[in-house]
Amino acid sequence: MTFPGARPIHGDTVHISAGTTLLVFTGSITCQGVLEGGRSFVELTLSDADPEQRRLLERSTNYQWDLRRGDGILYSSPCLACTPPGGRATDHW
């Protein structure tokens, strides 16, 4: 899928593939595209989760995610690379 745009997209589940691990977060989840300084990125706001899942995600070097509502996929990210805390994930493609 392409850049989702600046309007927030609200889902109830996100599936995150981090290496060989699939993490599933449920609850109120928001995806929003941000344009900043001529660059674009996507912010994914997760609901509270198991601390071990968050640690696993923080240790991952790359990931891909699908934002879902019910049985439908609202947004599917390209493969992304993680950056240090405070940085932004970047698209590999």
Side-chain angles (χ1 to χ4, degrees):
M1 293 184 141
T2 60
F3 181 71
R7 178 171 285 167
I9 303 170
H10 302 282
D12 56 24
T13 306
V14 67
H15 292 194
I16 301 176
S17 299
T20 59
T21 303
L22 176 65
L23 303 170
V24 178
F25 296 88
T26 59
S28 178
I29 300 165
T30 303
C31 160
Q32 183 171 5
V34 177
L35 297 173
E36 184 177 277
R39 298 176 61 199
S40 62
F41 59 93
V42 176
E43 290 185 335
L44 180 64
T45 305
L46 301 172
S47 58
D48 289 336
D50 177 337
E52 184 57 33
Q53 283 185 312
R54 287 198 182 264
R55 283 191 288 275
L56 180 61
L57 187 56
E58 288 170 358
R59 290 191 302 263
S60 299
T61 57
N62 58 60
Y63 59 95
Q64 185 277 329
W65 52 272
D66 296 324
L67 178 64
R68 300 166 180 256
R69 184 171 37 220
D71 292 332
I73 296 177
L74 302 174
Y75 180 76
S76 184
S77 78
C79 184
L80 302 167
C82 294
T83 58
R88 298 283 184 219
T90 55
D91 186 338
H92 275 294
W93 303 1

